[in-house]
Amino acid sequence: MTVKEFKLPDVGEGVAEGELVSWLVAPGDRVEEDQPVAEVETDKALVEVPSSYDGTVEELFVEEGEMVPVGDVIISFRVDEDGDAGAAADDSGTDTESASDSAAGDEPEPEPGATADEGDAESVESEPDTPAGRTFAPPSARRLARELGVDVAAVDGSGPGGRVSEADVRAHAEGGVGSGDAGGGDGAPEPRPAPTPTDTGSEGRKSAVSKRGAGGSADGASATGAAGGPEPAGRETTLATPATRKVARERGVDLDDVPTDETRDGEAFVTAEAVNAYADALEAAAESTSEAETEPAAVDAGGEPAATDAASAAPGDETVPYRGVRRTIGKQMERSKFTAPHVTHHDTAEVDALVEARAELKPKAEAKDVKLTYMPFVMKAIVAGLKEHPYLNSELREDDEEIVLKKEYNLGIAVATDAGLMVPVVDDVDEKGLFELADEVNDLAARARERKLKPAEMKGGTFTITNFGAIGGEYATPIINYPETAILGLGAIEERPVVRERDGESDVVPAPTLPLSLSIDHRVVDGAIAAQFANTVMEHLENPLLLLNE
C-alpha cells in the first residue's frame, strides 16, 4: 500500500484559492478515480473536486469553511501499488513512497535557506503512525491538538474504530500525557508545536508548504505593537496555510497587513503566531484609543481635532465574509464603474402584440416541454439592434487603442442566486430559434441557482441582459459587464397608461408596456446611437413578426 497526497487543483482559469465548502467523503471511505471528494467555492463558481486515485481516504487536512490556496494538500489516499499506474503523472497529486521505500532512497535535498537542524526538526515534527498504521481524527480534533501541543497519534480515541474526538484531545492534554508539563521540573521538554495540515501528512510526509523558523515573524509583528498601533504592511499578496487564514478570519485581520520577514518562493509568508501578535497589538491600540476617548478630545498643532481610528462594529452587528462570488461581483462592478463612463438611456415599449404572440405560441412550446418566457423575444430583438448598431456589440481595448466590433452575438443573462448575481452566456443567439433559446435560458438559469454552472459557461459574452422586472421595478441604471460596451435592463411588463389615437382623437388607455434601461460605455457609444439602438429593439418588440427575420 502507498499513501498519496492530493493537492487542490486549479479548478478554474486564474483561480488562486478556494473555500472548501463541504467534504463528500470521510476517512476510511473507498473512492474511485474521478469520484467527487469535495465541493470548493472559488470566486467564479461552486465546483466539485474529483479524486485522481482509486483507494481509501486516509486523512482530511482541511476543515470545511477554510480558504485553501491552489496547490495545498487537502486529502490523502491509501492506494494499492498495483493500481497506481497513470495516477502518478497527475499534476494535482503528489506521490509519496512508503516508509520502507523512502528509507532506501536518496535523502531529499534541503530547501533553500534551510539548515540541517531545521531539516531534523521537520522530521521530528512529522506525525508518527499508530500501531494500526493510521490515526482517525477529524480536522477539528487535529487543529485542537496543534493548539494544545498534543501529538494526536498518542491520543486514545473513544470513538468507533478508535476515532479521536476533540474531547479525547482535551482529556489527553489535561492529563499531561505527552503534551509537556509546563509546571514540571527544570529541563522538562517544552511541548512541540504540531504541524499544520499542509505541513505534514501520514507517515511523516511533508506537503508543499512547510514551516521554517516558526515564530520569527511573530516577534517581528510584536515589535510593531507600539502605543499608536502596528503599521500595516499593505502587501498585494501573501502566502499562508489554511489554518493561518482561518485564524486571520477569526481575529478580523487582513493577512496582507501582517508584518513578516519570512518568504516562500519569493512571496511573503505569514504564520498564525504573526497573525495573533498583530491582532493583539491592534486590540491593545484600540483599547488605548477607547480610554483616550473618555478624556477631552486632543487637537493637533493646527487646532483641529486629532484623527482617531475607525470605530469597530457595534455590539449585535453581524459580520459576513466578503469572498467567493460576492467578492468577484464587487470587484467586477467596481472595475466597470470606475473604468467605463456610464450613461443610461430609458425608454418604454408598448408590447400588446408581443403579449399576444407569446400567448399564441405557449401551447406549442408546452407541447415540446418548453417554458416560453418573454426573454427569447427580447434576445432576438437585441440581436436585430446589434446588427444595425454594431458598436454596442464591441469591446474597447485601451492598450491597443482600438475598438473590436464583435461578429458573434453571445448574450449574457444575469441570474440572481443565493450566492449573488451570476451571468451565464447563450452563444450564437442569431442562429437559434425562440424555442431553442427558451430551453437553453431556462437550463442555464436553473443550474446557475443550483451553483452547477461551469466557468466556461460564463465567458465569451458580447452583450448582457438583466431582468430586474422579474423581481419588481420599472427602471434602473445597470452596470456594464466590463469589458462589454452595453447592458440592457428589463422592467416588469405591466399595464400602464398610454396615449392612443382613436377616431382622430387622443385617448389615454391601459396597455402592457415594457420599460427598458440601456447603460452604455460613453467612450465607445454616443447617446444618439444608444437611442437609435433602443428604437430598433422596441420596433421589433412592438412588431414581433419582424423577429422572423432574425
Side-chain angles (χ1 to χ4, degrees):
M1 299 290 284
T2 303
V3 174
K4 303 289 184 180
E5 289 180 342
F6 180 80
K7 299 176 182 178
L8 178 66
D10 186 354
V11 292
E13 182 179 347
V15 173
E17 63 179 4
E19 178 185 355
L20 199 148
V21 176
S22 63
W23 283 110
L24 305 179
V25 295
D29 287 353
R30 182 75 185 177
V31 298
E32 298 178 354
E33 186 176 357
D34 293 330
Q35 175 182 334
V37 296
E39 288 184 319
V40 174
E41 181 180 29
T42 70
D43 56 2
K44 299 181 184 296
L46 182 70
V47 296
E48 291 182 339
V49 178
S51 168
S52 292
Y53 305 106
D54 290 332
T56 303
V57 177
E58 170 77 1
E59 188 169 1
L60 308 180
F61 294 104
V62 179
E63 286 195 69
E64 294 180 351
E66 287 191 13
M67 297 297 295
V68 187
V70 169
D72 271 16
V73 177
I74 61 173
I75 189 173
S76 63
F77 302 95
R78 190 169 290 275
V79 181
D80 294 333
E81 293 181 358
D82 293 340
D84 190 31
D90 196 306
D91 291 337
S92 63
T94 301
D95 290 357
T96 305
E97 297 179 350
S98 63
S100 60
D101 293 338
S102 61
D106 296 333
E107 289 292 327
E109 294 183 4
E111 298 181 15
T115 64
D117 291 340
E118 288 172 336
D120 292 340
E122 287 177 353
S123 64
V124 170
E125 288 185 358
S126 60
E127 188 177 293
D129 289 339
T130 63
R134 72 174 80 176
T135 299
F136 290 105
S140 58
R142 294 181 181 275
R143 181 183 62 179
L144 180 61
R146 292 194 301 273
E147 295 172 351
L148 299 179
V150 169
D151 181 357
V152 72
V155 178
D156 293 329
S158 61
R163 187 176 180 86
V164 176
S165 66
E166 294 182 45
D168 296 330
V169 174
R170 289 193 179 91
H172 186 89
E174 292 170 359
V177 180
S179 61
D181 188 0
D186 295 339
E190 295 183 1
R192 65 168 178 82
T196 63
T198 52
D199 291 331
T200 184
S202 303
E203 300 184 8
R205 299 181 310 282
K206 186 170 75 69
S207 77
V209 181
S210 59
K211 206 170 186 177
R212 296 190 209 151
S217 63
D219 295 338
S222 298
T224 65
E231 185 71 22
R235 292 181 298 274
E236 291 292 333
T237 58
T238 301
L239 298 180
T241 65
T244 300
R245 293 178 183 276
K246 186 169 186 179
V247 171
R249 292 197 301 273
E250 293 172 347
R251 300 295 302 268
V253 169
D254 187 340
L255 280 175
D256 293 335
D257 289 341
V258 178
T260 182
D261 295 326
E262 292 193 52
T263 60
R264 296 290 186 274
D265 299 325
E267 296 284 353
F269 181 81
V270 169
T271 64
E273 292 86 351
V275 171
N276 284 322
Y278 180 71
D280 291 343
L282 287 175
E283 291 175 0
E287 290 177 2
S288 299
T289 303
S290 177
E291 293 174 359
E293 288 177 351
T294 61
E295 301 175 0
V299 294
D300 58 19
E304 296 294 332
T308 60
D309 292 340
S312 59
D317 289 350
E318 179 183 3
T319 59
V320 179
Y322 182 58
R323 62 188 184 214
V325 175
R326 181 74 267 162
R327 181 176 62 181
T328 299
I329 294 171
K331 289 184 176 180
Q332 176 72 356
M333 294 299 99
E334 179 183 26
R335 180 189 180 195
S336 178
K337 194 65 177 177
F338 288 103
T339 301
H342 283 55
V343 171
T344 304
H345 173 87
H346 301 287
D347 218 325
T348 303
E350 299 177 15
V351 291
D352 313 57
L354 176 62
V355 172
E356 293 175 1
R358 174 175 173 264
E360 290 182 12
L361 291 175
K362 278 186 69 176
K364 295 182 179 180
E366 291 172 356
K368 296 184 178 182
D369 199 24
V370 174
K371 179 182 178 182
L372 183 61
T373 65
Y374 291 106
M375 183 60 71
F377 297 92
V378 175
M379 295 169 73
K380 283 293 189 179
I382 287 173
V383 169
L386 295 178
K387 287 181 177 180
E388 288 194 26
H389 309 284
Y391 277 87
L392 281 91
N393 198 53
S394 67
E395 175 186 340
L396 173 61
R397 296 178 179 172
E398 296 180 78
D399 293 341
D400 299 327
E401 295 186 338
E402 63 184 16
I403 299 171
V404 181
L405 303 181
K406 303 294 183 69
K407 296 304 180 183
E408 295 179 332
Y409 301 96
N410 304 332
L411 304 189
I413 311 296
V415 179
T417 74
D418 291 340
L421 201 65
M422 306 185 77
V423 187
V425 176
V426 180
D427 295 330
D428 305 319
V429 173
D430 57 319
E431 300 176 4
K432 298 174 180 176
L434 290 174
F435 290 1
E436 186 178 1
L437 289 174
D439 194 44
E440 188 169 349
V441 169
N442 292 336
D443 172 63
L444 288 171
R447 289 192 290 115
R449 296 186 184 97
E450 295 170 0
R451 306 295 307 282
K452 293 182 179 180
L453 285 177
K454 299 176 182 177
E457 293 177 311
M458 294 184 284
K459 295 180 180 179
T462 61
F463 187 99
T464 296
I465 308 169
T466 177
N467 184 19
F468 49 81
I471 301 173
E474 293 187 53
Y475 298 100
T477 54
I479 297 179
I480 297 166
N481 191 13
Y482 189 81
E484 295 172 11
T485 301
I487 181 173
L488 181 65
L490 308 178
I493 294 181
E494 295 177 351
E495 285 199 343
R496 298 178 177 88
V498 299
V499 177
R500 295 278 172 84
E501 292 287 338
R502 290 186 179 179
D503 300 327
E505 296 183 0
S506 298
D507 191 13
V508 177
V509 298
T513 62
L514 171 60
L516 303 176
S517 299
L518 174 68
S519 291
I520 58 169
D521 183 342
H522 212 336
R523 298 173 302 174
V524 180
V525 180
D526 292 330
I529 301 298
Q532 292 169 13
F533 170 82
N535 289 340
T536 302
V537 172
M538 289 192 297
E539 181 184 11
H540 284 73
L541 293 176
E542 293 173 353
N543 302 279
L545 288 178
L546 294 175
L547 299 177
L548 296 176
N549 295 326
E550 302 303 327

